[in-house]
Amino acid sequence: MDERDAHRVSLRGWGGVAAMAAAVACALVAVFTVLLPLSHTASGDGSTGLGSGGVADGVQAKAKDCSPTVKGREPERSLDPKGDQNGEAVKAIKSRGYLSVGVDQNSYRWGYRDPNKGLDKDGSPEERTSELEGFDIDLAHEIAGEILGDPGAIRFRAIPTNQRIPAIKSGQVDMVVRTMTISCDRLDDVDFSTAYFQTGQQVLAPRASDITGYDKSLAGKRVCTAKGSTAETALGDGRDEKHEIPRSTDITTTVPNQLDCLVRLQLGEVDAVVTDGALAASQAAQDPTVQLKGEPFTTEYYGVAMKKGADDLVRRVNQVLEDYRSGGKNSGWQKSYDKWLEADLGPSSGPPAPKYK
């Protein structure tokens, strides 16, 4: 996946945002999973109960000693799985009997509900529950299976983009598996696993638009990003610090959930969206009236985010990822990629190699 024809987008979606919104509104909870709303304060019922995470036996990269462009200081470096994997955090999960995971339920191919499931005459009762599915959901089940011996021992919480870190810090979830980019700034608040996916920021706009990408064609255009996303940071730096795009680019529109940007684009309230190219491709697959413009202008990596100090859990997840990546074309990672992402992103050369401290 180091080099992918990122602008190649299949138009084989299942009906667009309206269909997805309807699915989310009426879908039933799957038999073995429970989707819980995210509350804004930690509660005793359903919280992870991890406390402070205990005394760390390793130190994750911090923003002050982190630089994405300096070898040995990259934010995607994480703890080696060879250390303790059965400390306080993992024991709490085992005692509780389920893994609590923050996810997205609106990102096509990553974490979503397919309203077509079970509607055909051969559809099974299980399919009619329209359970969460996608690339991130597969990984979450894999982690639950490795820690608890049952991939279904998991409870999902739907989390807006701007609530991912608060949900982890407050103990409402054990981890977030939600197309979350590993960044130096975020390492001040949470710890990450090694990278499980490589992507980059890219521009999404209507096919008929004169926007050509992350360039001077954004002059005077209204661009939407998700609040708290790396896209928001990249746009601000690119306009105000690096002068990569015109000062007249309007970047004031931010939304809680990234999918809300696509809705605003469809309503004509903005001219373009900037988000991870992997997410943008899935949105273009839903809506054939929009397309990726230009090439990615950053290189970023998704990781599983966890509470700071939960080193045993970080190491355990890194071991899960080691196993998930292994096997080449027969690996769990590759099978999930082929199922969910290949149609929109093209063939993959495999997952990013792990980097350890």
Side-chain angles (χ1 to χ4, degrees), residues 70-254:
V70 178
K71 187 176 181 179
R73 296 176 60 190
E74 304 96 329
E76 61 269 21
R77 293 172 302 143
S78 187
L79 299 177
D80 194 307
K82 294 178 182 178
D84 179 25
Q85 296 183 16
N86 198 35
E88 179 182 341
V90 172
K91 288 178 180 177
I93 293 168
K94 290 181 175 180
S95 176
R96 188 193 319 130
Y98 65 86
L99 184 69
S100 178
V101 184
V103 296
D104 197 350
Q105 63 175 2
N106 299 319
S107 289
Y108 184 51
R109 304 289 196 187
W110 292 89
Y112 75 112
R113 298 181 186 276
D114 185 346
N116 292 307
K117 283 291 182 70
L119 295 183
D120 62 286
K121 64 179 181 179
D122 298 321
S124 67
E126 290 78 11
E127 285 181 325
R128 294 189 187 100
T129 62
S130 189
E131 63 184 282
L132 281 169
E133 58 187 19
F135 189 78
D136 278 346
I137 304 304
D138 281 358
L139 177 55
H141 282 297
E142 185 74 13
I143 295 170
E146 290 294 319
I147 294 178
L148 294 161
D150 177 6
I154 191 168
R155 294 189 183 181
F156 292 117
R157 288 181 181 267
I159 298 181
T161 304
N162 64 351
Q163 290 298 313
R164 291 177 296 189
I165 289 177
I168 296 169
K169 295 178 73 173
S170 66
Q172 294 179 76
V173 295
D174 298 308
M175 61 188 63
V176 167
V177 185
R178 192 190 184 283
T179 58
M180 189 168 179
T181 298
I182 306 169
S183 74
C184 293
D185 287 344
R186 287 173 177 169
L187 284 169
D188 279 339
D189 296 304
V190 296
D191 284 343
F192 281 97
S193 69
T194 53
Y196 68 85
F197 199 86
Q198 180 181 329
T199 186
Q201 297 300 317
Q202 205 161 357
V203 177
L204 183 73
R207 286 182 172 272
S209 171
D210 59 1
I211 294 173
T212 56
Y214 182 73
D215 53 34
K216 63 182 180 181
S217 66
L218 291 176
K221 304 296 187 182
R222 302 161 298 172
V223 183
C224 181
T225 59
K227 185 70 175 176
S229 66
T230 50
E232 181 186 24
T233 302
L235 270 184
D237 291 345
R239 188 191 68 173
D240 302 331
E241 303 294 334
K242 300 177 182 178
H243 309 296
E244 296 170 335
I245 56 175
R247 290 279 299 177
S248 61
T249 305
D250 182 352
I251 60 175
T252 59
T253 301
T254 60

Side-chain angles (χ1 to χ4, degrees), residues 319-333:
Q319 183 61 58
V320 174
L321 288 171
E322 283 281 352
D323 299 337
Y324 200 51
R325 296 185 192 100
S326 65
K329 293 182 179 180
N330 294 317
S331 69
W333 187 97

